Amino acid sequence: HDIRPSQIARGRRAFQNLYGMGSGNAVRFYEKYEEMLADPNIEAIVIATPLWTHAKLTIAALDAGKHVFCEKLMAHNITDAKAMIRKADQADRLL
């Protein structure tokens, strides 16, 4: 998921460079992150967004049953970090 069309095009090109012509079109992109979280084929999510969004997106992904790899800094503050950890424990998912 990315809100910038230029990044979506860049991702398609990178995939195509690695795996051949036409393969970039096989990559799915989602207009809204909620659509991505609803996809049962996705097992894990990488959170690489502005720091202030990490807790919200991580908790949403864990609620959707996804494992989460969150870039560092993990959270904006210790309260958010602890909420993320508690949710991962409750969901029995890796964070």
Side-chain angles (χ1 to χ4, degrees):
H1 165 70
D2 201 307
I3 61 171
R4 296 169 295 183
S6 62
Q7 289 300 94
I8 292 172
R10 182 176 172 216
R12 287 194 192 282
R13 281 192 309 274
F15 198 84
Q16 191 165 293
N17 288 340
L18 287 170
Y19 300 106
M21 293 299 287
S23 62
N25 294 329
V27 177
R28 282 184 258 162
F29 286 92
Y30 300 88
E31 299 254 340
K32 298 180 180 187
Y33 75 90
E34 294 92 348
E35 295 170 356
M36 179 181 63
L37 296 180
D39 186 336
N41 295 309
I42 295 177
E43 295 180 42
I45 301 292
V46 176
I47 305 292
T49 58
L51 178 60
W52 61 270
T53 66
H54 286 190
K56 174 187 173 184
L57 297 175
T58 295
I59 289 170
L62 293 165
D63 280 339
K66 312 300 183 193
H67 298 285
V68 177
F69 180 84
C70 187
E71 70 177 344
K72 65 178 186 178
L73 300 172
M74 180 176 152
H76 191 65
N77 55 53
I78 193 70
T79 302
D80 286 350
K82 287 181 177 181
M84 294 161 70
I85 293 166
R86 277 193 301 276
K87 181 58 72 172
D89 288 343
Q90 291 168 358
D92 195 27
R93 295 285 164 235
L94 296 176
L95 170 61

